[in-house]
Amino acid sequence: MNRRRLVVGISGSSAPQYGIGLLEALAKLGTVETHLVVSAGARRTIELEARRDPDEICALADVVHDARDLAAAVSSGSFLTLGMAVVPCSMKTLAAVAHGHTDDLLSRAADVTLKERRRLVLVTRETPLSLIHLRNMTAVTEAGAVVLPPVPGFYARPRTIDDLIAHTVGKVLDQFGVEHHLFHRWAGVPEEST
């Protein structure tokens, strides 16, 4: 049986832990074939912030595509996927997607996702936001993307940083209809609290 495919992009923004968490969750689930594109900046932030070897992270994916290879399978709309998640999504990558500036595979794959009317989820990572950032978020949203900043949901009562990451990863998986048990969903106020 063929598994559904999902393109995962990790850009050079701070917080590569979100992209790593997504890859780990998908590898554990085993229900989706992952196609990974890691920017040069992301390789560096993985080393600096996650203190992990980028090649170790790449090993979590089923297929890894060189970010400079514009002839990779994920650069074509004829390569069928569920869509793409860019986790985290830097403001540089957001701007490239918003303006169709596809000079690397990460931005090209995102552009293809939009043109094929597939789900594109951008986990934007920046604060505070400038008017330029907000306008770029509006542009990608109008083009069909989902902007999903990593905003924690405290209703799930997180106890660790990993719990906070899992919440965002779960919200990303929800966008693609991928079942998971990464966080407790809100089910209303518990009886004993009323």
Side-chain angles (χ1 to χ4, degrees):
M1 181 172 129
N2 291 335
R3 293 183 296 163
R4 300 173 299 165
R5 300 172 179 143
L6 180 66
V7 181
V8 175
I10 302 179
S11 77
S13 173
S14 181
Q17 291 86 342
Y18 290 107
I20 295 166
L22 178 61
L23 289 169
E24 289 173 339
L26 287 166
K28 186 175 180 180
L29 289 169
T31 57
V32 175
E33 180 181 291
T34 52
H35 287 257
L36 177 64
V37 181
V38 180
S39 73
R43 292 184 74 81
R44 189 69 176 128
T45 58
I46 288 168
E47 292 171 343
L48 292 173
E49 294 187 15
R51 299 186 187 274
R52 293 180 67 181
D53 180 346
D55 292 332
E56 170 196 337
I57 303 311
C58 289
L60 294 167
D62 293 296
V63 181
V64 179
H65 302 279
D66 187 314
R68 298 164 297 183
D69 183 9
L70 289 171
V74 296
S75 72
S76 173
S78 66
F79 186 75
L80 297 177
T81 69
L82 288 170
M84 180 177 186
V86 182
V87 188
C89 180
S90 67
M91 293 300 104
K92 177 183 176 182
T93 299
L94 172 68
V97 175
H99 298 282
H101 185 72
T102 59
D103 67 345
D104 63 10
L105 185 58
L106 201 155
S107 57
R108 170 61 186 166
D111 190 62
V112 164
T113 303
L114 286 177
K115 82 176 183 70
E116 295 295 327
R117 308 298 191 266
R118 297 179 187 142
R119 177 76 67 179
L120 175 62
V121 176
L122 305 175
V123 180
T124 52
R125 242 299 295 131
E126 187 64 86
T127 192
L129 298 168
S130 74
L131 182 57
I132 293 168
H133 301 150
L134 293 168
R135 285 184 174 154
N136 286 338
M137 288 180 187
T138 298
V140 297
T141 301
E142 289 173 342
V146 174
V147 176
L148 195 155
V151 178
F154 288 95
Y155 58 84
R157 307 217 175 176
R159 295 174 188 238
T160 67
I161 290 173
D162 287 342
D163 290 343
L164 295 172
I165 291 169
H167 182 264
T168 295
V169 168
K171 297 293 275 182
V172 171
L173 292 176
D174 285 350
Q175 290 296 310
F176 297 99
V178 175
E179 288 189 41
H180 64 86
H181 301 286
L182 293 172
F183 62 86
H184 296 305
R185 297 182 184 280
W186 180 250
V189 179
E191 291 289 325
E192 66 273 5
S193 297
T194 56

